[in-house]
């Protein structure tokens, strides 16, 4: 039944002192909510692709180096041919999940190259990979790690398909059927039942990769119930991956202790990357999880970045309850941040940096330093097959945006103006359609300007016995 392997409020309107009610500029609020979905609208929107293409064509700074990193990856070539399987196994005899992982990387990377350059040879390659897999894959198998495969490769596959939506010859309907039959059920089941274990047994990364899959499949398939399922779990789920369980302690100075930092840094950084993926995907559909619970995600990723940059962090001891009802159980107390895999490099920082600093104008010194350290971000196995395939990567190309400086009092298309003349979040399904964190928005009162400044987990902890 159990695997004992160690795997894996609105935050104020956009007001600022000295200038009264101020609107946030274009691109600074989530996409307006509606009953329809934004497409493309997972990690990237059409506005993102337009920005990338224009900046690369102009040979501009970070976009140029980011694209060069993408083009230089061996899985970005238009000659890549898929090797589809009927059954993918992870964590058991016959493990072949790397075949799926590399093909997904090739599909995503070729899709990106098409969007940036217009070269249809790359579009054809991405389409053919996606079609080949949707025609053959029926099963994900293995030990408990099969849930990791469903989550990670589910959200990644959905992203590649979302980019290719509407391209000639791409069988989107069949691809959706595969996602709904193979990937979604496993991730949804994991969040509900945790493979028969205690809800606390599996670490936050397991829940977060499952949330990423459910959210991405929901958007790809225009299924509001699935999106709501993912968002609800992120806020209030029973397991370790809901946001207040993943980041249970907030220390002075705005540092949020992530539970995985007490475990090891490979899994902590996996969680950082997944938080960024979930938040950016939700943002593109008008849901602000970046700013949820007073920007709790920001506090958590700043904590993880600070520790992995070599600085000390405060740590509150906590006890983990593990095991399965009627089978076995145990408790383990963590008293300090783990040094295991400290400083590991993963392509996970650009999205977080560009949201909090360039899009929102908040202060994120440690995330900023990590982004600069890793830049330009690669992907597709550039960092090995350990953590190198857990994230789609290439964030320097895809997420870099100019710092926004906008006139105060100029509402964005997605903001509604209140009777008092200020701005309010665009009406939507819930309170999360809001500006992220007012605390870091800088007002320049003298001028009346509002400045928005600007793979797989192969780790095993030695000397411990744990599960999840």
């Amino acid at each position: 039944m159990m695997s004992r392997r160690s795997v894996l409020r609105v935050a104020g309107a956009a007001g600022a002192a000295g200038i009264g009610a101020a609107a946030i500029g274009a691109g600074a609020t989530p996409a307006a909510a509606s009953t329809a979905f934004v497409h493309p609208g997972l990690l990237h929107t059409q506005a993102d692709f337009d920005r990338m293409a224009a900046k690369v064509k102009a040979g501009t700074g970070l976009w140029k180096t980011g694209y060069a990193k993408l083009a230089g990856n061996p899985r970005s070539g238009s000659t890549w041919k898929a090797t589809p399987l009927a059954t993918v196994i992870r964590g058991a005899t016959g493990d072949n999940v790397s075949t799926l992982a590399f093909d997904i990387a090739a599909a995503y990377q070729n899709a990106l190259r098409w969007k940036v350059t217009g070269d249809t040879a790359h579009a054809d390659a991405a389409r053919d990979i996606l079609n080949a897999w949707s025609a053959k894959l029926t099963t994900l198998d293995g030990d408990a790690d099969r849930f990791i495969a469903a989550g990670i490769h589910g959200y990644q596959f959905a992203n590649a398909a979302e980019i290719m939506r509407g391209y000639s010859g791409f069988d989107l309907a069949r691809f959706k059927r595969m996602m709904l039959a193979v990937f979604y059920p496993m991730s949804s089941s994991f969040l509900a039942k945790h493979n028969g274990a205690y809800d606390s047994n599996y670490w936050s990364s397991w829940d977060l990769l499952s949330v990423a899959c459910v959210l991405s499949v929901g958007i790809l398939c225009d299924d509001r119930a699935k999106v709501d399922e993912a968002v609800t779990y992120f806020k209030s789920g029973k397991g370790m991956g809901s946001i207040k369980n993943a980041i249970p302690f907030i220390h002075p100075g705005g540092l949020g202790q992530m539970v995985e930092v007490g475990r090891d840094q490979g899994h902590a950084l996996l969680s950082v990357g997944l938080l960024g993926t979930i938040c950016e995907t939700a943002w593109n559909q008008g849901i602000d999880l970046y700013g949820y619970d007073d920007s709790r995600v920001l506090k958590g990723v700043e904590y993880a970045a600070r520790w992995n940059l070599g600085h000390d962090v405060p740590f509150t001891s906590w006890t983990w309850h593990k095991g399965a009802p009627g089978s076995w159980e145990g408790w383990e107390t963590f008293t300090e941040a783990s040094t295991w895999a400290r400083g590991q490099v993963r392509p996970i920082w650009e999205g977080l940096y560009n949201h909090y600093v360039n899009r929102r104008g908040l202060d994120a010194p440690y995330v900023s330093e990590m982004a600069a350290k890793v830049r330009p971000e690669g992907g597709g196995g550039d960092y090995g097959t350990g953590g190198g395939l857990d994230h789609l990567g290439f964030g320097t190309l895809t997420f870099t945006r100019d710092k926004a400086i906008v006139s105060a009092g100029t509402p964005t298309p997605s903001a509604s103006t209140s009777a008092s003349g200020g701005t309010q979040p665009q009406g939507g399904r819930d309170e999360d359609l809001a500006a992220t964190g007012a605390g870091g928005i800088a007002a320049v009162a003298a001028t009346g300007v509002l400045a928005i400044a600007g793979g797989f987990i192969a780790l095993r902890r030695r000397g411990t016995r744990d599960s999840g």
Side-chain angles (χ1 to χ4, degrees), residues 193-223:
K193 301 176 182 178
H194 288 110
N195 197 30
Y198 292 115
D199 291 322
S200 60
N201 179 75
Y202 290 94
W203 292 80
S204 64
S205 53
W206 289 73
D207 273 1
L208 290 172
L209 57 89
S210 300
V211 168
C213 177
V214 172
L215 178 63
S216 299
V217 172
I219 295 166
L220 179 74
C221 297
D222 296 285
D223 190 326

PDB file of all heavy atoms in Angstrom, residues 193-223:
ATOM      1  N   LYS A 193      -7.273  11.272  -1.756  1.00  0.00           N
ATOM      2  CA  LYS A 193      -7.037  10.068  -0.966  1.00  0.00           C
ATOM      3  C   LYS A 193      -5.589   9.868  -0.538  1.00  0.00           C
ATOM      4  O   LYS A 193      -5.306   9.014   0.305  1.00  0.00           O
ATOM      5  CB  LYS A 193      -7.494   8.840  -1.762  1.00  0.00           C
ATOM      6  CG  LYS A 193      -8.969   8.882  -2.141  1.00  0.00           C
ATOM      7  CD  LYS A 193      -9.342   7.685  -3.008  1.00  0.00           C
ATOM      8  CE  LYS A 193     -10.807   7.745  -3.439  1.00  0.00           C
ATOM      9  NZ  LYS A 193     -11.181   6.610  -4.315  1.00  0.00           N
ATOM     10  N   HIS A 194      -4.669  10.561  -1.132  1.00  0.00           N
ATOM     11  CA  HIS A 194      -3.242  10.440  -0.803  1.00  0.00           C
ATOM     12  C   HIS A 194      -2.754   9.003  -0.779  1.00  0.00           C
ATOM     13  O   HIS A 194      -2.033   8.567   0.133  1.00  0.00           O
ATOM     14  CB  HIS A 194      -2.943  11.155   0.522  1.00  0.00           C
ATOM     15  CG  HIS A 194      -3.004  12.644   0.397  1.00  0.00           C
ATOM     16  ND1 HIS A 194      -3.999  13.398   0.972  1.00  0.00           N
ATOM     17  CD2 HIS A 194      -2.221  13.520  -0.279  1.00  0.00           C
ATOM     18  CE1 HIS A 194      -3.824  14.675   0.675  1.00  0.00           C
ATOM     19  NE2 HIS A 194      -2.755  14.776  -0.087  1.00  0.00           N
ATOM     20  N   ASN A 195      -3.175   8.245  -1.795  1.00  0.00           N
ATOM     21  CA  ASN A 195      -2.683   6.879  -1.962  1.00  0.00           C
ATOM     22  C   ASN A 195      -2.918   6.026  -0.725  1.00  0.00           C
ATOM     23  O   ASN A 195      -2.155   5.116  -0.416  1.00  0.00           O
ATOM     24  CB  ASN A 195      -1.186   6.899  -2.303  1.00  0.00           C
ATOM     25  CG  ASN A 195      -0.683   5.596  -2.874  1.00  0.00           C
ATOM     26  OD1 ASN A 195      -1.416   4.861  -3.536  1.00  0.00           O
ATOM     27  ND2 ASN A 195       0.593   5.295  -2.633  1.00  0.00           N
ATOM     28  N   GLY A 196      -4.002   6.331   0.003  1.00  0.00           N
ATOM     29  CA  GLY A 196      -4.346   5.542   1.176  1.00  0.00           C
ATOM     30  C   GLY A 196      -3.583   5.901   2.430  1.00  0.00           C
ATOM     31  O   GLY A 196      -3.748   5.261   3.464  1.00  0.00           O
ATOM     32  N   ALA A 197      -2.751   6.921   2.362  1.00  0.00           N
ATOM     33  CA  ALA A 197      -1.927   7.317   3.518  1.00  0.00           C
ATOM     34  C   ALA A 197      -2.614   8.417   4.315  1.00  0.00           C
ATOM     35  O   ALA A 197      -3.653   8.947   3.926  1.00  0.00           O
ATOM     36  CB  ALA A 197      -0.564   7.804   3.037  1.00  0.00           C
ATOM     37  N   TYR A 198      -2.022   8.740   5.455  1.00  0.00           N
ATOM     38  CA  TYR A 198      -2.464   9.928   6.173  1.00  0.00           C
ATOM     39  C   TYR A 198      -2.287  11.140   5.263  1.00  0.00           C
ATOM     40  O   TYR A 198      -1.355  11.195   4.447  1.00  0.00           O
ATOM     41  CB  TYR A 198      -1.647  10.117   7.450  1.00  0.00           C
ATOM     42  CG  TYR A 198      -1.887   9.068   8.500  1.00  0.00           C
ATOM     43  CD1 TYR A 198      -0.873   8.187   8.887  1.00  0.00           C
ATOM     44  CD2 TYR A 198      -3.135   8.951   9.123  1.00  0.00           C
ATOM     45  CE1 TYR A 198      -1.091   7.219   9.865  1.00  0.00           C
ATOM     46  CE2 TYR A 198      -3.362   7.985  10.105  1.00  0.00           C
ATOM     47  CZ  TYR A 198      -2.340   7.126  10.460  1.00  0.00           C
ATOM     48  OH  TYR A 198      -2.569   6.162  11.426  1.00  0.00           O
ATOM     49  N   ASP A 199      -3.170  12.125   5.411  1.00  0.00           N
ATOM     50  CA  ASP A 199      -3.086  13.309   4.555  1.00  0.00           C
ATOM     51  C   ASP A 199      -1.750  14.022   4.692  1.00  0.00           C
ATOM     52  O   ASP A 199      -1.285  14.682   3.761  1.00  0.00           O
ATOM     53  CB  ASP A 199      -4.230  14.280   4.878  1.00  0.00           C
ATOM     54  CG  ASP A 199      -5.587  13.753   4.453  1.00  0.00           C
ATOM     55  OD1 ASP A 199      -5.673  13.113   3.381  1.00  0.00           O
ATOM     56  OD2 ASP A 199      -6.566  13.967   5.186  1.00  0.00           O
ATOM     57  N   SER A 200      -1.123  13.884   5.840  1.00  0.00           N
ATOM     58  CA  SER A 200       0.159  14.556   6.064  1.00  0.00           C
ATOM     59  C   SER A 200       1.354  13.729   5.601  1.00  0.00           C
ATOM     60  O   SER A 200       2.492  14.211   5.656  1.00  0.00           O
ATOM     61  CB  SER A 200       0.318  14.875   7.560  1.00  0.00           C
ATOM     62  OG  SER A 200       0.283  13.679   8.326  1.00  0.00           O
ATOM     63  N   ASN A 201       1.128  12.506   5.144  1.00  0.00           N
ATOM     64  CA  ASN A 201       2.243  11.615   4.849  1.00  0.00           C
ATOM     65  C   ASN A 201       3.121  12.110   3.706  1.00  0.00           C
ATOM     66  O   ASN A 201       4.348  12.026   3.769  1.00  0.00           O
ATOM     67  CB  ASN A 201       1.730  10.219   4.509  1.00  0.00           C
ATOM     68  CG  ASN A 201       2.852   9.258   4.172  1.00  0.00           C
ATOM     69  OD1 ASN A 201       3.574   8.791   5.043  1.00  0.00           O
ATOM     70  ND2 ASN A 201       3.009   8.961   2.884  1.00  0.00           N
ATOM     71  N   TYR A 202       2.487  12.581   2.639  1.00  0.00           N
ATOM     72  CA  TYR A 202       3.253  13.007   1.472  1.00  0.00           C
ATOM     73  C   TYR A 202       3.597  14.488   1.562  1.00  0.00           C
ATOM     74  O   TYR A 202       2.769  15.319   1.896  1.00  0.00           O
ATOM     75  CB  TYR A 202       2.467  12.726   0.188  1.00  0.00           C
ATOM     76  CG  TYR A 202       2.360  11.251  -0.128  1.00  0.00           C
ATOM     77  CD1 TYR A 202       1.258  10.506   0.285  1.00  0.00           C
ATOM     78  CD2 TYR A 202       3.365  10.595  -0.826  1.00  0.00           C
ATOM     79  CE1 TYR A 202       1.161   9.155   0.007  1.00  0.00           C
ATOM     80  CE2 TYR A 202       3.284   9.236  -1.116  1.00  0.00           C
ATOM     81  CZ  TYR A 202       2.181   8.522  -0.697  1.00  0.00           C
ATOM     82  OH  TYR A 202       2.088   7.180  -0.985  1.00  0.00           O
ATOM     83  N   TRP A 203       4.814  14.799   1.199  1.00  0.00           N
ATOM     84  CA  TRP A 203       5.301  16.167   1.326  1.00  0.00           C
ATOM     85  C   TRP A 203       4.603  17.122   0.360  1.00  0.00           C
ATOM     86  O   TRP A 203       3.901  16.714  -0.562  1.00  0.00           O
ATOM     87  CB  TRP A 203       6.809  16.192   1.108  1.00  0.00           C
ATOM     88  CG  TRP A 203       7.565  15.512   2.207  1.00  0.00           C
ATOM     89  CD1 TRP A 203       7.768  14.180   2.367  1.00  0.00           C
ATOM     90  CD2 TRP A 203       8.207  16.153   3.306  1.00  0.00           C
ATOM     91  NE1 TRP A 203       8.508  13.943   3.497  1.00  0.00           N
ATOM     92  CE2 TRP A 203       8.797  15.128   4.090  1.00  0.00           C
ATOM     93  CE3 TRP A 203       8.363  17.472   3.705  1.00  0.00           C
ATOM     94  CZ2 TRP A 203       9.525  15.402   5.245  1.00  0.00           C
ATOM     95  CZ3 TRP A 203       9.089  17.749   4.849  1.00  0.00           C
ATOM     96  CH2 TRP A 203       9.660  16.711   5.619  1.00  0.00           C
ATOM     97  N   SER A 204       4.838  18.417   0.534  1.00  0.00           N
ATOM     98  CA  SER A 204       4.107  19.431  -0.223  1.00  0.00           C
ATOM     99  C   SER A 204       4.294  19.307  -1.723  1.00  0.00           C
ATOM    100  O   SER A 204       3.376  19.584  -2.496  1.00  0.00           O
ATOM    101  CB  SER A 204       4.524  20.838   0.228  1.00  0.00           C
ATOM    102  OG  SER A 204       5.882  21.112  -0.034  1.00  0.00           O
ATOM    103  N   SER A 205       5.455  18.899  -2.171  1.00  0.00           N
ATOM    104  CA  SER A 205       5.687  18.814  -3.613  1.00  0.00           C
ATOM    105  C   SER A 205       4.738  17.827  -4.279  1.00  0.00           C
ATOM    106  O   SER A 205       4.311  18.043  -5.426  1.00  0.00           O
ATOM    107  CB  SER A 205       7.144  18.439  -3.902  1.00  0.00           C
ATOM    108  OG  SER A 205       7.524  17.276  -3.201  1.00  0.00           O
ATOM    109  N   TRP A 206       4.397  16.734  -3.595  1.00  0.00           N
ATOM    110  CA  TRP A 206       3.449  15.772  -4.168  1.00  0.00           C
ATOM    111  C   TRP A 206       2.094  16.437  -4.410  1.00  0.00           C
ATOM    112  O   TRP A 206       1.493  16.277  -5.479  1.00  0.00           O
ATOM    113  CB  TRP A 206       3.269  14.591  -3.221  1.00  0.00           C
ATOM    114  CG  TRP A 206       4.420  13.652  -3.091  1.00  0.00           C
ATOM    115  CD1 TRP A 206       5.604  13.876  -2.443  1.00  0.00           C
ATOM    116  CD2 TRP A 206       4.503  12.315  -3.594  1.00  0.00           C
ATOM    117  NE1 TRP A 206       6.406  12.762  -2.508  1.00  0.00           N
ATOM    118  CE2 TRP A 206       5.751  11.786  -3.206  1.00  0.00           C
ATOM    119  CE3 TRP A 206       3.621  11.505  -4.322  1.00  0.00           C
ATOM    120  CZ2 TRP A 206       6.160  10.504  -3.534  1.00  0.00           C
ATOM    121  CZ3 TRP A 206       4.024  10.209  -4.646  1.00  0.00           C
ATOM    122  CH2 TRP A 206       5.272   9.712  -4.263  1.00  0.00           C
ATOM    123  N   ASP A 207       1.583  17.135  -3.434  1.00  0.00           N
ATOM    124  CA  ASP A 207       0.311  17.838  -3.607  1.00  0.00           C
ATOM    125  C   ASP A 207       0.404  18.913  -4.677  1.00  0.00           C
ATOM    126  O   ASP A 207      -0.492  19.069  -5.511  1.00  0.00           O
ATOM    127  CB  ASP A 207      -0.113  18.501  -2.291  1.00  0.00           C
ATOM    128  CG  ASP A 207      -0.907  17.577  -1.373  1.00  0.00           C
ATOM    129  OD1 ASP A 207      -1.128  16.405  -1.738  1.00  0.00           O
ATOM    130  OD2 ASP A 207      -1.295  18.037  -0.285  1.00  0.00           O
ATOM    131  N   LEU A 208       1.473  19.684  -4.667  1.00  0.00           N
ATOM    132  CA  LEU A 208       1.588  20.809  -5.590  1.00  0.00           C
ATOM    133  C   LEU A 208       1.672  20.354  -7.040  1.00  0.00           C
ATOM    134  O   LEU A 208       1.072  20.962  -7.929  1.00  0.00           O
ATOM    135  CB  LEU A 208       2.799  21.666  -5.222  1.00  0.00           C
ATOM    136  CG  LEU A 208       2.663  22.449  -3.915  1.00  0.00           C
ATOM    137  CD1 LEU A 208       4.001  23.100  -3.543  1.00  0.00           C
ATOM    138  CD2 LEU A 208       1.564  23.505  -4.009  1.00  0.00           C
ATOM    139  N   LEU A 209       2.380  19.278  -7.310  1.00  0.00           N
ATOM    140  CA  LEU A 209       2.425  18.800  -8.688  1.00  0.00           C
ATOM    141  C   LEU A 209       1.071  18.271  -9.124  1.00  0.00           C
ATOM    142  O   LEU A 209       0.691  18.392 -10.300  1.00  0.00           O
ATOM    143  CB  LEU A 209       3.541  17.775  -8.889  1.00  0.00           C
ATOM    144  CG  LEU A 209       3.579  16.506  -8.031  1.00  0.00           C
ATOM    145  CD1 LEU A 209       2.785  15.377  -8.654  1.00  0.00           C
ATOM    146  CD2 LEU A 209       5.044  16.073  -7.834  1.00  0.00           C
ATOM    147  N   SER A 210       0.316  17.713  -8.184  1.00  0.00           N
ATOM    148  CA  SER A 210      -1.037  17.251  -8.495  1.00  0.00           C
ATOM    149  C   SER A 210      -1.975  18.424  -8.744  1.00  0.00           C
ATOM    150  O   SER A 210      -2.808  18.401  -9.665  1.00  0.00           O
ATOM    151  CB  SER A 210      -1.569  16.370  -7.355  1.00  0.00           C
ATOM    152  OG  SER A 210      -0.744  15.233  -7.165  1.00  0.00           O
ATOM    153  N   VAL A 211      -1.861  19.484  -7.936  1.00  0.00           N
ATOM    154  CA  VAL A 211      -2.653  20.698  -8.163  1.00  0.00           C
ATOM    155  C   VAL A 211      -2.323  21.298  -9.525  1.00  0.00           C
ATOM    156  O   VAL A 211      -3.220  21.720 -10.273  1.00  0.00           O
ATOM    157  CB  VAL A 211      -2.400  21.726  -7.037  1.00  0.00           C
ATOM    158  CG1 VAL A 211      -2.987  23.083  -7.409  1.00  0.00           C
ATOM    159  CG2 VAL A 211      -2.993  21.238  -5.719  1.00  0.00           C
ATOM    160  N   ALA A 212      -1.049  21.334  -9.875  1.00  0.00           N
ATOM    161  CA  ALA A 212      -0.642  21.890 -11.168  1.00  0.00           C
ATOM    162  C   ALA A 212      -1.280  21.121 -12.318  1.00  0.00           C
ATOM    163  O   ALA A 212      -1.722  21.716 -13.314  1.00  0.00           O
ATOM    164  CB  ALA A 212       0.879  21.875 -11.294  1.00  0.00           C
ATOM    165  N   CYS A 213      -1.334  19.804 -12.195  1.00  0.00           N
ATOM    166  CA  CYS A 213      -1.949  18.986 -13.234  1.00  0.00           C
ATOM    167  C   CYS A 213      -3.444  19.246 -13.328  1.00  0.00           C
ATOM    168  O   CYS A 213      -3.985  19.478 -14.413  1.00  0.00           O
ATOM    169  CB  CYS A 213      -1.677  17.508 -12.962  1.00  0.00           C
ATOM    170  SG  CYS A 213      -2.463  16.389 -14.156  1.00  0.00           S
ATOM    171  N   VAL A 214      -4.147  19.194 -12.215  1.00  0.00           N
ATOM    172  CA  VAL A 214      -5.601  19.395 -12.211  1.00  0.00           C
ATOM    173  C   VAL A 214      -5.944  20.773 -12.772  1.00  0.00           C
ATOM    174  O   VAL A 214      -6.857  20.926 -13.600  1.00  0.00           O
ATOM    175  CB  VAL A 214      -6.164  19.219 -10.790  1.00  0.00           C
ATOM    176  CG1 VAL A 214      -7.637  19.623 -10.726  1.00  0.00           C
ATOM    177  CG2 VAL A 214      -6.006  17.758 -10.338  1.00  0.00           C
ATOM    178  N   LEU A 215      -5.221  21.791 -12.354  1.00  0.00           N
ATOM    179  CA  LEU A 215      -5.463  23.147 -12.836  1.00  0.00           C
ATOM    180  C   LEU A 215      -5.220  23.248 -14.341  1.00  0.00           C
ATOM    181  O   LEU A 215      -6.044  23.812 -15.083  1.00  0.00           O
ATOM    182  CB  LEU A 215      -4.539  24.117 -12.090  1.00  0.00           C
ATOM    183  CG  LEU A 215      -4.614  25.592 -12.491  1.00  0.00           C
ATOM    184  CD1 LEU A 215      -5.996  26.170 -12.192  1.00  0.00           C
ATOM    185  CD2 LEU A 215      -3.532  26.390 -11.753  1.00  0.00           C
ATOM    186  N   SER A 216      -4.132  22.709 -14.806  1.00  0.00           N
ATOM    187  CA  SER A 216      -3.776  22.816 -16.219  1.00  0.00           C
ATOM    188  C   SER A 216      -4.732  22.028 -17.107  1.00  0.00           C
ATOM    189  O   SER A 216      -5.129  22.501 -18.182  1.00  0.00           O
ATOM    190  CB  SER A 216      -2.337  22.335 -16.426  1.00  0.00           C
ATOM    191  OG  SER A 216      -1.423  23.126 -15.685  1.00  0.00           O
ATOM    192  N   VAL A 217      -5.104  20.836 -16.682  1.00  0.00           N
ATOM    193  CA  VAL A 217      -6.064  20.052 -17.455  1.00  0.00           C
ATOM    194  C   VAL A 217      -7.414  20.760 -17.496  1.00  0.00           C
ATOM    195  O   VAL A 217      -8.091  20.799 -18.526  1.00  0.00           O
ATOM    196  CB  VAL A 217      -6.197  18.632 -16.888  1.00  0.00           C
ATOM    197  CG1 VAL A 217      -7.333  17.868 -17.570  1.00  0.00           C
ATOM    198  CG2 VAL A 217      -4.882  17.862 -17.061  1.00  0.00           C
ATOM    199  N   GLY A 218      -7.819  21.338 -16.374  1.00  0.00           N
ATOM    200  CA  GLY A 218      -9.079  22.060 -16.333  1.00  0.00           C
ATOM    201  C   GLY A 218      -9.133  23.195 -17.341  1.00  0.00           C
ATOM    202  O   GLY A 218     -10.126  23.375 -18.053  1.00  0.00           O
ATOM    203  N   ILE A 219      -8.059  23.956 -17.443  1.00  0.00           N
ATOM    204  CA  ILE A 219      -8.015  25.068 -18.395  1.00  0.00           C
ATOM    205  C   ILE A 219      -7.943  24.547 -19.826  1.00  0.00           C
ATOM    206  O   ILE A 219      -8.670  25.015 -20.710  1.00  0.00           O
ATOM    207  CB  ILE A 219      -6.832  25.986 -18.081  1.00  0.00           C
ATOM    208  CG1 ILE A 219      -7.028  26.645 -16.712  1.00  0.00           C
ATOM    209  CG2 ILE A 219      -6.653  27.040 -19.170  1.00  0.00           C
ATOM    210  CD1 ILE A 219      -5.791  27.313 -16.155  1.00  0.00           C
ATOM    211  N   LEU A 220      -7.080  23.585 -20.074  1.00  0.00           N
ATOM    212  CA  LEU A 220      -6.974  23.009 -21.416  1.00  0.00           C
ATOM    213  C   LEU A 220      -8.322  22.512 -21.910  1.00  0.00           C
ATOM    214  O   LEU A 220      -8.677  22.680 -23.080  1.00  0.00           O
ATOM    215  CB  LEU A 220      -5.954  21.864 -21.411  1.00  0.00           C
ATOM    216  CG  LEU A 220      -5.750  21.149 -22.748  1.00  0.00           C
ATOM    217  CD1 LEU A 220      -4.947  22.026 -23.717  1.00  0.00           C
ATOM    218  CD2 LEU A 220      -5.047  19.803 -22.540  1.00  0.00           C
ATOM    219  N   CYS A 221      -9.093  21.895 -21.009  1.00  0.00           N
ATOM    220  CA  CYS A 221     -10.368  21.270 -21.371  1.00  0.00           C
ATOM    221  C   CYS A 221     -11.575  22.156 -21.083  1.00  0.00           C
ATOM    222  O   CYS A 221     -12.711  21.687 -21.153  1.00  0.00           O
ATOM    223  CB  CYS A 221     -10.507  19.936 -20.635  1.00  0.00           C
ATOM    224  SG  CYS A 221      -9.253  18.721 -21.097  1.00  0.00           S
ATOM    225  N   ASP A 222     -11.357  23.426 -20.773  1.00  0.00           N
ATOM    226  CA  ASP A 222     -12.445  24.375 -20.498  1.00  0.00           C
ATOM    227  C   ASP A 222     -13.410  23.843 -19.455  1.00  0.00           C
ATOM    228  O   ASP A 222     -14.628  23.932 -19.594  1.00  0.00           O
ATOM    229  CB  ASP A 222     -13.206  24.705 -21.792  1.00  0.00           C
ATOM    230  CG  ASP A 222     -12.323  25.425 -22.796  1.00  0.00           C
ATOM    231  OD1 ASP A 222     -12.066  26.627 -22.594  1.00  0.00           O
ATOM    232  OD2 ASP A 222     -11.878  24.792 -23.777  1.00  0.00           O
ATOM    233  N   ASP A 223     -12.848  23.306 -18.388  1.00  0.00           N
ATOM    234  CA  ASP A 223     -13.645  22.662 -17.339  1.00  0.00           C
ATOM    235  C   ASP A 223     -13.492  23.460 -16.045  1.00  0.00           C
ATOM    236  O   ASP A 223     -12.512  23.306 -15.311  1.00  0.00           O
ATOM    237  CB  ASP A 223     -13.168  21.221 -17.140  1.00  0.00           C
ATOM    238  CG  ASP A 223     -14.074  20.394 -16.256  1.00  0.00           C
ATOM    239  OD1 ASP A 223     -14.668  20.962 -15.313  1.00  0.00           O
ATOM    240  OD2 ASP A 223     -14.180  19.175 -16.497  1.00  0.00           O
TER     241      ASP A 223
END
